[in-house]
Amino acid sequence: MRKIVASISFLILLAFLLFIAVKLHPFGEPEEREMDDYFIKGYYNETQNKVIGGAQNESGANNVVTAVVFDYRGFDTLGEATVLFSAVTGVAALFRRLRRGMMEEKRSEAERKEEGLSKIVKTITNIFYPLILIFGLYVILHGHLTPGGGFQGGAVVASAFALVAIAYGKLIVPKFLNKEKMSVVETSGLVGFIGLAFLGLTTTFFFNFLAVGRTPPLSWLSGTVPLWGPNPGALNTGGVLPFMNLAVGAEVLAGLGIIVLFMLVGLLPEEYEEQKEEEKK
Amino acid sequence: MTLDWLSIHSPALVVAIPLIAAFATLLISKLAGPKARNGFVVTTLVLELIIGILLARYVLLKGTTVYVFGGVSPAATLAGYTVPVRIMFEVDAFSATMALVSIGLAFLAGIYSLSYMKAHTGLDKYYTLSFLLLAGMLGMVCTGDLFNFFVFLEITSIAGSALVAFFMHRGEAPEAAYKYMTICTVGGLLVLFATALFYSEYDALNIAYLASVLKFGVVEQVALALLLGALAMKAGSFPLHQWLPDAYSEAPCPITIMLVGSTLASLYALFRVCFTLYGGVLNTLIIGWLVIILGVLSIFVGVTMALLQTDFKRLLAYSAISQIGYMLLALGVGLAVLSDPLAMDTYGMRAMEGGIFHLINDATCKALLFLAVGAVFYATKTRDLNKLSGLGRNLKYTSVFFIIGALGLAGMPPCNGFVSKLIIYESVYQFNPVLSIIAILASIVTLAILVKVFYSAFLGPRVEEYKNIEEAPKSMLIPMALLAIVIIIFGLFPDIVLGKLVTPAVHALVDQLSYITRVVPL
């Protein structure tokens, strides 16, 4: 009986998801002109580009969401990245004191090999881990072309870490995630982000100094005019937006990675310390 | 030329410097070791202090300053739109005063931490979180944008609660941090919800723009209630003050004084909402009385609870609640008579001057007291008042600093607390004599408590256990000495602060129109 109910609900869910997948819009559609119009409405100087005038001219982004996230409200994005950074640093600070001998239970070598979920889950994880990583990195890299970017992509990459940790058991985490290196990646991402904001200081903090029409000599870098409408998207558009996006991506993937590591391994400090010593040998 | 450039960009730099320092501290201590990190921390704090002073000087010279992030120029508030789209900082004299107070507290805390935290691990994270806490406070007091305010509130909350829990080895610290975190999260969500209400009503987040178009419908009333509740909670006002004694007493002492700064920043936001955001539409008499009642109850509860404490820091934390009450009382009186020009001229402005001056004085006195307690804890490793006795023989400087701070907090003549409390008593008496009498009585009780504590901890017979304790190192004594000097100077020559900083701050707070027109020409 249970099996029948389970398979019927599985089929319903499958049909539902397939239905949604078929009904999805093609990439770049529908063109949400209303959202862009919002920025043009109060724009007195409406001469250059009727379709996207405001956001494109001011930030060099090809969609308004990116323009809002990294240009108009880039400072908020920095703030949100800092919120995540505070949380990660806080977690790291609170787990710092746990040392050898805090846990009484000690596991045998044989038990360790049994860690984690079944072989099916491990196999599926082996297949999906690289795919999730690639997808996450893709989202980060294309963050300035699609609505949504560094933050989301970083979270996707970190979910791959979590998947491996769950499938193989928490003891594997320190083997493929190094806390110190992740921390360097995280802070470098943030330093890069705020550094780009500092570079705009010739005009204002967070000024998009590489955007369309602002730096002719550097236009090959990322200052070419972005295309409007459904198109494959050129990576070198948007001024400083792609670089900020990459920086946020690095920060988020490393930050969430550190949290995954601490939440799973920080609870078993003794075993973690032991593993680190083994690695040194 | 460079000075001008620095001044123009100082609103952005004042937040950007602690942020980049926070990110870089972890890297530097990994690459170059703890000595270089300490040097970096001190250098950054000095730089930050300079930028803070430049900002205050610029604002006092030129009036309210705006800074548009990513705009074509720092002053391009509208840039072609009818609604301000970009995030902007709007720094008036009140914000500048608050920024100076926050930076000053963080500077002293940083110097003090060098010795006080020496024995602990994880210091790179400690300094990183301190910088984040500072950046959060500065963002809260400088920002002119509601959502941006929420972001900085979150940074302050998370960094603050991580720091409260820093002494993980004591079981109480994580518990206090958990309480603080819960309160902060609830408060943050209330602020976020209010922000969402504003955005759905007016399609804008800019405080000045919202103030210019605000009507007083149901949605705005709900938003006002949410904001007042959240900010009063974060400021440690009466009905929701329970997190404050725990957080203040369990945090490391230098962090406690930064938490004082963050409660004051919440208090700032509370008044910014009442005076600036809702200033034009509010029935200020009702809200003013609400704030006054919260203030009087905070004074009363803080003082009575302080009487019962045997833990040194908890006692000070409860007296801190009563000091918050004085500021609420004074500025509440200003709010209540805001729409009555005659009353405003005769005592309203005076009361607000007293309130803002007391805010500065309270920050200095309370910081000095907490740092002195930190020095006691550093020497004796205990905060239990029943165990401490006769410390004055060994801790000579600390006991002198403690009595200066205590006299300041209680409002005795040579210290700055006397001046601000006297202004509050005078002006509040003209508004309602009963309130003034309650305030005076509470102040007397505060004095009695602090004198008793001073007597039992620093005077009296020497205890065998603490016979050979040593005075705190220089890097802990210097911040205390600086605070003591400031307290005495502000007490003897109050005009240097009152005229130059406090009066412009009060005028800036009351003058809603110029705050608005700086962004949106009417």
Side-chain angles (χ1 to χ4, degrees), chain A residues 62-102:
Chain A
N62 76 344
N63 67 77
V64 170
V65 176
T66 308
V68 170
V69 170
F70 284 105
D71 193 297
Y72 294 114
R73 303 193 73 85
F75 191 56
D76 272 348
T77 307
L78 176 67
E80 290 298 346
T82 311
V83 169
L84 178 65
F85 176 71
S86 324
V88 173
T89 317
V91 170
L94 299 193
F95 275 110
R96 79 194 188 284
R97 285 199 157 266
L98 298 182
R99 289 264 152 79
R100 191 179 266 278
M102 302 264 307

Side-chain angles (χ1 to χ4, degrees), chain B residues 364 368 400-401 404-405 478-489:
Chain B
T364 51
L368 181 55
V400 171
F401 293 143
I404 291 175
I478 290 170
M480 289 196 270
L482 285 174
L483 279 170
I485 292 168
V486 165
I487 289 173
I488 300 284
I489 289 182

Side-chain angles (χ1 to χ4, degrees), chain B residues 445-468:
Chain B
V445 179
T446 306
L447 181 66
I449 295 168
L450 290 173
V451 166
K452 188 195 92 183
V453 167
F454 179 74
Y455 182 78
S456 73
F458 291 97
L459 305 180
R462 207 193 294 214
V463 187
E464 192 60 36
E465 202 180 342
Y466 305 125
K467 210 159 195 175
N468 298 317

Side-chain angles (χ1 to χ4, degrees), chain A residues 260-274:
Chain A
V260 165
L261 189 143
F262 273 116
M263 289 294 168
L264 290 169
V265 186
L267 300 174
L268 291 170
E270 170 211 49
E271 288 163 343
Y272 177 44
E273 294 288 329
E274 250 177 37

